[in-house]
Amino acid sequence: PLSPRAPSFALTLLAGENTDTVWNGRWQGTTVSGNQLVLQLQLQGQRITGRLMVGKQSANIVYGKVVGDAFALTTGPIDGHSVDATGRRVGDSIELTIEGVKKPLTLTRLK
């Protein structure tokens, strides 16, 4: 089972970068099992709010923080378990690593 603790990480914020426009929006990818995954992000300062949708299930982000090109988040329960994930911006995409899943997922912004 996934632990209820918030994920932690440390990175340096890039000076002068407007992180709101970089992160805000809907990001889409496919899980290793072939389900559609949509991550809806809204940034307020360094705090992330939003929702994670996997297939037909979804949960609100209960903890989320952005530092520079990286973020960490924890959701409410999906399929009985909270989801802990970290991500980082790679060009115009997000590389999302979900705790317990070996391969990172690539998410692209929905227009």
Side-chain angles (χ1 to χ4, degrees):
L2 298 175
S3 63
R5 65 172 170 65
S8 62
F9 62 97
L11 291 171
T12 304
L13 184 62
L14 298 176
E17 184 174 9
N18 183 351
T19 56
D20 289 3
T21 57
V22 170
W23 298 107
N24 288 347
R26 293 169 56 94
W27 299 83
Q28 178 179 313
T30 305
T31 66
V32 291
S33 58
N35 290 318
Q36 180 179 341
L37 182 143
V38 176
L39 182 60
Q40 182 177 330
L41 298 178
Q42 180 67 38
L43 190 64
Q44 300 164 335
Q46 287 186 316
R47 183 173 176 256
I48 294 177
T49 59
R51 194 160 189 80
L52 176 66
M53 294 154 268
V54 181
K56 296 182 187 268
Q57 299 184 54
S58 67
N60 287 328
I61 295 171
V62 296
Y63 168 86
K65 184 174 182 179
V66 168
V67 178
D69 281 345
F71 67 91
L73 63 84
T74 300
T75 70
I78 293 180
D79 201 21
H81 302 282
S82 63
V83 175
D84 289 329
T86 57
R88 65 186 182 103
R89 196 173 80 226
V90 179
D92 292 335
S93 300
I94 289 177
E95 184 178 274
L96 184 70
T97 302
I98 297 174
E99 188 173 304
V101 177
K102 291 181 182 177
K103 185 178 177 187
L105 308 174
T106 299
L107 307 180
T108 56
R109 188 188 304 267
L110 292 171
K111 301 289 180 191

